[in-house]
Protein backbone atom coordinates (compact mmCIF):
# COMPACT_ATOMS: atom_id res chain seq x y z
CA UNK A 1 0.00 0.00 0.00
CA UNK A 2 2.82 2.38 0.85
CA UNK A 3 4.60 1.50 -2.42
CA UNK A 4 1.45 2.14 -4.44
CA UNK A 5 0.98 5.47 -2.72
CA UNK A 6 4.59 6.38 -3.47
CA UNK A 7 4.16 5.68 -7.23
CA UNK A 8 0.99 7.77 -7.31
CA UNK A 9 2.83 10.74 -5.76
CA UNK A 10 5.68 10.44 -8.28
CA UNK A 11 3.18 10.32 -11.14
CA UNK A 12 1.37 13.44 -9.88
CA UNK A 13 4.66 15.37 -9.51
CA UNK A 14 5.73 14.40 -13.03
CA UNK A 15 2.46 15.59 -14.52
CA UNK A 16 2.67 18.89 -12.60
CA UNK A 17 6.27 19.46 -13.75
CA UNK A 18 5.48 18.86 -17.42
CA UNK A 19 2.39 21.00 -17.21
CA UNK A 20 4.16 23.99 -15.64
CA UNK A 21 7.26 24.00 -17.86
CA UNK A 22 5.72 24.97 -21.21
CA UNK A 23 3.27 27.32 -19.54
CA UNK A 24 6.12 29.27 -17.95
CA UNK A 25 7.91 29.47 -21.32
CA UNK A 26 4.84 30.89 -23.06
CA UNK A 27 4.36 33.59 -20.43
CA UNK A 28 8.00 34.68 -20.79
CA UNK A 29 7.72 34.90 -24.58
CA UNK A 30 4.55 36.93 -24.41
CA UNK A 31 6.20 39.30 -21.91
CA UNK A 32 9.25 39.73 -24.18
CA UNK A 33 7.02 40.45 -27.18
CA UNK A 34 5.15 43.08 -25.18
CA UNK A 35 8.43 44.79 -24.22
CA UNK A 36 9.58 44.79 -27.87
CA UNK A 37 6.30 46.36 -29.00
CA UNK A 38 6.62 49.18 -26.45
CA UNK A 39 10.23 49.84 -27.51
CA UNK A 40 9.18 49.93 -31.16
CA UNK A 41 6.52 52.53 -30.39
CA UNK A 42 9.07 54.68 -28.55
CA UNK A 43 11.50 54.60 -31.46
CA UNK A 44 8.78 55.31 -34.01
CA UNK A 45 7.64 58.26 -31.94
CA UNK A 46 11.18 59.63 -31.92
CA UNK A 47 11.82 58.93 -35.62
CA UNK A 48 8.38 59.12 -37.25
CA UNK A 49 9.70 59.51 -40.79
CA UNK A 50 12.03 56.52 -40.78
CA UNK A 51 11.62 52.76 -40.65
CA UNK A 52 12.71 51.33 -37.34
CA UNK A 53 15.44 49.24 -38.98
CA UNK A 54 17.01 52.21 -40.75
CA UNK A 55 19.51 54.55 -39.17
CA UNK A 56 18.45 58.18 -39.13
CA UNK A 57 20.62 60.06 -41.61
CA UNK A 58 21.76 63.67 -41.11
CA UNK A 59 20.04 66.10 -43.42
CA UNK A 60 22.58 67.59 -45.83
CA UNK A 61 23.03 71.37 -45.76
CA UNK A 62 21.02 73.37 -48.27
CA UNK A 63 22.55 75.70 -50.85
CA UNK A 64 21.64 78.59 -48.54
CA UNK A 65 23.40 76.94 -45.58
CA UNK A 66 26.51 76.50 -47.71
CA UNK A 67 26.27 80.10 -48.93
CA UNK A 68 26.19 81.37 -45.35
CA UNK A 69 29.19 79.25 -44.41
CA UNK A 70 31.17 80.59 -47.34
CA UNK A 71 30.42 84.29 -46.96
CA UNK A 72 29.60 84.93 -43.28
CA UNK A 73 33.17 85.95 -42.46
CA UNK A 74 33.28 88.36 -45.40
CA UNK A 75 29.99 89.93 -44.31
CA UNK A 76 31.31 90.28 -40.74
CA UNK A 77 34.50 91.89 -42.00
CA UNK A 78 32.48 94.38 -44.04
CA UNK A 79 30.37 95.16 -40.97
CA UNK A 80 33.51 96.06 -39.03
CA UNK A 81 34.66 98.38 -41.82
CA UNK A 82 31.40 99.91 -43.07
CA UNK A 83 28.93 99.48 -40.14
CA UNK A 84 26.43 97.66 -42.35
CA UNK A 85 24.90 94.76 -40.34
CA UNK A 86 26.38 91.45 -41.45
CA UNK A 87 22.89 89.97 -41.25
CA UNK A 88 21.62 92.47 -43.82
CA UNK A 89 24.56 91.91 -46.16
CA UNK A 90 24.15 88.13 -46.02
CA UNK A 91 20.38 88.26 -46.46
CA UNK A 92 20.76 90.57 -49.46
CA UNK A 93 23.41 88.28 -50.93
CA UNK A 94 21.17 85.23 -50.49
CA UNK A 95 18.18 87.00 -51.99
CA UNK A 96 19.92 88.78 -54.85
CA UNK A 97 22.12 85.86 -55.93
CA UNK A 98 19.73 82.97 -55.34
CA UNK A 99 22.11 81.62 -52.68
CA UNK A 100 25.00 81.97 -55.11
CA UNK A 101 23.32 80.01 -57.91
CA UNK A 102 22.12 82.93 -60.06
CA UNK A 103 23.80 83.72 -63.36
CA UNK A 104 25.30 87.01 -62.17
CA UNK A 105 26.86 85.31 -59.17
CA UNK A 106 28.14 82.30 -61.10
CA UNK A 107 29.49 84.12 -64.17
CA UNK A 108 30.32 87.54 -62.76
CA UNK A 109 30.75 87.08 -58.98
CA UNK A 110 28.08 89.78 -58.67
CA UNK A 111 26.10 88.79 -55.56
CA UNK A 112 24.04 91.97 -55.17
CA UNK A 113 22.83 92.70 -58.66
CA UNK A 114 24.71 96.00 -58.80
CA UNK A 115 24.43 97.58 -62.24
CA UNK A 116 27.19 99.40 -64.06
CA UNK A 117 26.36 103.04 -63.13
CA UNK A 118 29.58 104.39 -64.63
CA UNK A 119 31.53 101.24 -63.84
CA UNK A 120 34.81 101.08 -65.76
CA UNK A 121 35.66 97.48 -64.94
CA UNK A 122 34.52 94.23 -66.58
CA UNK A 123 30.82 93.99 -67.44
CA UNK A 124 28.14 91.42 -68.06
CA UNK A 125 24.75 91.91 -69.71
CA UNK A 126 21.66 90.37 -68.20
CA UNK A 127 17.88 90.75 -68.48
CA UNK A 128 16.43 92.58 -65.47
CA UNK A 129 13.91 95.43 -65.50
CA UNK A 130 14.88 95.80 -69.14
CA UNK A 131 16.49 93.50 -71.65
CA UNK A 132 20.28 93.07 -71.52
CA UNK A 133 21.11 95.61 -68.82
CA UNK A 134 24.69 96.24 -67.84
CA UNK A 135 25.97 94.73 -64.57
CA UNK A 136 29.33 94.88 -62.87
CA UNK A 137 31.62 91.86 -63.15
CA UNK A 138 34.18 90.97 -60.48
CA UNK A 139 37.12 88.61 -60.34
CA UNK A 140 36.24 87.45 -56.83
CA UNK A 141 33.10 87.36 -54.69
CA UNK A 142 34.90 89.33 -51.97
CA UNK A 143 35.13 92.27 -54.38
CA UNK A 144 31.38 92.15 -54.85
CA UNK A 145 30.85 92.37 -51.08
CA UNK A 146 33.27 95.26 -50.80
CA UNK A 147 31.60 97.10 -53.68
CA UNK A 148 28.20 96.53 -52.07
CA UNK A 149 29.43 98.27 -48.91
CA UNK A 150 30.91 101.14 -50.90
CA UNK A 151 27.68 101.44 -52.88
CA UNK A 152 25.67 101.98 -49.69
CA UNK A 153 28.16 104.13 -47.81
CA UNK A 154 28.88 106.35 -50.81
CA UNK A 155 25.31 107.43 -51.57
CA UNK A 156 23.56 110.13 -49.61
CA UNK A 157 20.14 108.52 -49.87
CA UNK A 158 21.31 105.71 -47.58
CA UNK A 159 22.85 108.04 -44.97
CA UNK A 160 19.97 107.70 -42.49
CA UNK A 161 20.53 103.95 -42.30
CA UNK A 162 23.87 104.49 -40.59
CA UNK A 163 22.12 106.38 -37.78
CA UNK A 164 20.37 103.16 -36.75
CA UNK A 165 21.72 100.83 -34.10
CA UNK A 166 24.27 98.50 -35.69
CA UNK A 167 22.16 95.41 -34.96
CA UNK A 168 18.81 96.90 -35.99
CA UNK A 169 18.34 94.61 -38.99
CA UNK A 170 14.60 95.31 -39.17
CA UNK A 171 15.23 99.06 -39.41
CA UNK A 172 17.84 98.45 -42.09
CA UNK A 173 15.54 96.19 -44.09
CA UNK A 174 12.75 98.77 -44.09
CA UNK A 175 15.18 101.64 -44.66
CA UNK A 176 16.66 100.05 -47.77
CA UNK A 177 13.22 99.82 -49.34
CA UNK A 178 12.37 103.38 -48.33
CA UNK A 179 15.64 104.68 -49.81
CA UNK A 180 14.85 103.03 -53.13
CA UNK A 181 17.27 100.10 -53.08
CA UNK A 182 14.59 97.71 -54.34
CA UNK A 183 11.24 98.08 -56.09
CA UNK A 184 9.74 94.93 -54.55
CA UNK A 185 7.30 96.10 -51.88
CA UNK A 186 7.92 92.87 -49.95
CA UNK A 187 11.68 93.35 -49.96
CA UNK A 188 11.94 94.25 -46.23
CA UNK A 189 9.85 91.26 -45.18
CA UNK A 190 11.93 88.94 -47.34
CA UNK A 191 15.17 90.14 -45.75
CA UNK A 192 13.78 89.90 -42.23
CA UNK A 193 12.43 86.43 -42.92
CA UNK A 194 15.82 85.20 -44.15
CA UNK A 195 17.64 86.74 -41.18
CA UNK A 196 15.33 85.14 -38.64
CA UNK A 197 15.02 81.79 -40.40
CA UNK A 198 18.79 81.30 -40.65
CA UNK A 199 19.62 83.25 -37.45
CA UNK A 200 21.86 85.64 -39.37
CA UNK A 201 21.58 88.17 -36.52
CA UNK A 202 24.11 86.05 -34.61
CA UNK A 203 26.83 87.40 -36.91
CA UNK A 204 25.94 90.96 -35.88
CA UNK A 205 26.23 89.87 -32.26
CA UNK A 206 29.64 88.31 -32.89
CA UNK A 207 30.99 91.49 -34.47
CA UNK A 208 29.58 93.63 -31.66
CA UNK A 209 31.03 91.31 -29.02
CA UNK A 210 27.67 90.33 -27.58
CA UNK A 211 28.64 86.68 -27.88
CA UNK A 212 32.08 85.17 -27.73
CA UNK A 213 33.14 83.69 -31.03
CA UNK A 214 34.29 80.10 -30.72
CA UNK A 215 37.31 79.14 -32.75
CA UNK A 216 36.55 75.48 -33.24
CA UNK A 217 35.57 72.81 -35.69
CA UNK A 218 31.80 72.82 -36.18
CA UNK A 219 30.19 69.77 -37.80
CA UNK A 220 27.85 70.53 -40.70
CA UNK A 221 26.89 67.00 -41.63
CA UNK A 222 28.47 63.58 -41.93
CA UNK A 223 30.41 64.63 -45.04
CA UNK A 224 31.44 68.26 -44.40
CA UNK A 225 32.90 70.18 -41.46
CA UNK A 226 33.27 73.91 -40.98
CA UNK A 227 36.75 74.87 -39.85
CA UNK A 228 38.33 78.08 -38.54
CA UNK A 229 41.91 78.38 -39.80
CA UNK A 230 44.50 78.43 -37.03
CA UNK A 231 48.18 79.35 -36.98
CA UNK A 232 50.25 76.83 -38.92
CA UNK A 233 47.34 75.42 -40.93
CA UNK A 234 47.85 74.78 -44.64
CA UNK A 235 45.59 73.24 -47.23
CA UNK A 236 47.93 70.26 -47.37
CA UNK A 237 47.87 69.69 -43.59
CA UNK A 238 44.07 70.01 -43.46
CA UNK A 239 43.64 67.66 -46.43
CA UNK A 240 45.84 65.09 -44.71
CA UNK A 241 44.01 65.48 -41.39
CA UNK A 242 40.58 64.96 -42.93
CA UNK A 243 41.63 62.35 -45.47
CA UNK A 244 40.73 64.49 -48.48
CA UNK A 245 42.62 66.41 -51.14
CA UNK A 246 43.77 70.00 -51.53
CA UNK A 247 41.80 70.32 -54.76
CA UNK A 248 38.60 69.07 -53.07
CA UNK A 249 38.90 71.77 -50.39
CA UNK A 250 39.63 74.47 -52.96
CA UNK A 251 36.70 73.43 -55.13
CA UNK A 252 34.25 73.35 -52.20
CA UNK A 253 35.32 76.84 -51.10
CA UNK A 254 35.86 78.39 -54.54
CA UNK A 255 39.51 79.09 -53.70
CA UNK A 256 41.82 80.25 -56.47
CA UNK A 257 45.05 79.82 -54.51
CA UNK A 258 46.48 77.77 -51.65
CA UNK A 259 46.72 80.78 -49.34
CA UNK A 260 44.83 80.67 -46.03
CA UNK A 261 44.29 83.53 -43.59
CA UNK A 262 44.29 83.21 -39.81
CA UNK A 263 40.66 83.08 -38.63
CA UNK A 264 39.36 82.28 -42.11
CA UNK A 265 36.32 80.01 -42.16
CA UNK A 266 36.33 77.17 -44.67
CA UNK A 267 34.42 73.95 -45.33
CA UNK A 268 36.29 70.66 -45.54
CA UNK A 269 35.04 67.40 -47.11
CA UNK A 270 35.34 64.82 -44.34
Amino acid sequence: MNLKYKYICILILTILTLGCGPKKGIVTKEKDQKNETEATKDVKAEFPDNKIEEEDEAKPPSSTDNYILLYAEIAKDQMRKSKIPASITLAQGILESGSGRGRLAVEANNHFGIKCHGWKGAKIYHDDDRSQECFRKYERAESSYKDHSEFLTGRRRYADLFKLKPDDYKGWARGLKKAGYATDRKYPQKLISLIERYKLYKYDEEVLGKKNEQVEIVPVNSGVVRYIVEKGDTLYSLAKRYNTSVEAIKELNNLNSNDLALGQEIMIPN
Side-chain angles (χ1 to χ4, degrees):
M1 185 71 177
N2 290 336
L3 183 61
K4 184 177 181 181
Y5 177 76
K6 182 177 179 180
Y7 284 139
I8 292 172
C9 289
I10 292 172
L11 180 61
I12 292 172
L13 288 171
T14 301
I15 292 172
L16 289 173
T17 302
L18 293 173
C20 293
K23 185 176 181 181
K24 184 177 180 181
I26 292 172
V27 170
T28 302
K29 186 176 181 181
E30 289 176 349
K31 185 177 180 180
D32 290 343
Q33 289 176 338
K34 183 178 180 181
N35 289 336
E36 288 176 0
T37 301
E38 290 175 352
T40 300
K41 289 180 179 179
D42 290 340
V43 174
K44 285 184 176 180
E46 187 174 356
F47 305 103
D49 297 327
N50 297 280
K51 294 180 180 179
I52 188 169
E53 307 80 47
E54 296 176 349
E55 183 180 351
D56 184 38
E57 296 181 354
K59 184 179 179 181
S62 67
S63 57
T64 302
D65 292 324
N66 286 334
Y67 185 92
I68 294 167
L69 289 174
L70 283 171
Y71 300 110
E73 287 301 318
I74 299 175
K76 286 162 60 178
D77 185 54
Q78 288 302 313
M79 180 176 180
R80 296 184 186 101
K81 294 176 180 177
S82 66
K83 311 305 179 185
I84 301 169
S87 59
I88 285 291
T89 301
L90 277 174
Q92 286 189 284
I94 293 168
L95 188 60
E96 302 287 346
S97 74
S99 298
R101 296 176 298 171
R103 178 173 177 258
L104 290 177
V106 173
E107 298 182 18
N109 283 316
N110 189 332
H111 288 243
F112 301 93
I114 299 180
K115 298 179 182 179
C116 288
H117 299 300
W119 176 254
K120 295 182 180 180
K123 303 172 184 177
I124 185 174
Y125 295 88
H126 181 74
D127 291 346
D128 193 51
D129 296 327
R130 296 187 300 272
S131 176
Q132 293 298 291
E133 292 191 80
C134 181
F135 289 85
R136 303 181 183 188
K137 185 175 182 179
Y138 308 94
E139 291 186 4
R140 303 177 63 187
E142 290 87 343
S143 299
S144 176
Y145 273 74
K146 181 181 177 182
D147 200 29
H148 168 263
S149 297
E150 293 175 353
F151 183 85
L152 294 180
T153 56
R155 283 164 173 75
R156 188 177 299 176
R157 58 177 171 161
Y158 299 116
D160 287 343
L161 293 173
F162 295 91
K163 299 176 183 178
L164 299 171
K165 292 182 178 180
D167 57 352
D168 185 5
Y169 63 86
K170 292 183 179 180
W172 265 85
R174 298 183 183 111
L176 284 168
K177 172 64 175 67
K178 184 178 180 181
Y181 186 93
T183 56
D184 184 356
R185 61 184 180 85
K186 295 183 179 180
Y187 192 76
Q189 290 74 22
K190 289 179 180 179
L191 292 182
I192 293 170
S193 177
L194 283 169
I195 290 170
E196 295 180 346
R197 178 179 179 182
Y198 293 98
K199 297 181 174 62
L200 303 182
Y201 47 75
K202 68 183 180 182
Y203 299 112
D204 300 337
E205 295 170 347
E206 290 174 1
V207 172
L208 296 172
K210 292 186 177 182
K211 288 186 178 181
N212 293 325
E213 297 186 50
Q214 296 181 347
V215 180
E216 60 181 0
I217 301 172
V218 183
V220 176
N221 63 12
S222 59
V224 179
V225 296
R226 187 176 71 188
Y227 185 80
I228 307 298
V229 176
E230 299 178 351
K231 186 176 181 180
D233 284 333
T234 64
L235 285 179
Y236 177 77
S237 66
L238 293 175
K240 187 175 181 180
R241 186 187 307 177
Y242 290 97
N243 193 29
T244 184
S245 68
V246 170
E247 290 304 317
I249 298 176
K250 291 174 67 175
E251 182 178 356
L252 184 61
N253 294 275
N254 294 325
L255 298 177
N256 295 321
S257 71
N258 292 347
D259 297 333
L260 292 176
L262 187 65
Q264 181 180 355
E265 187 175 19
I266 61 173
M267 292 189 295
I268 304 176
N270 187 12

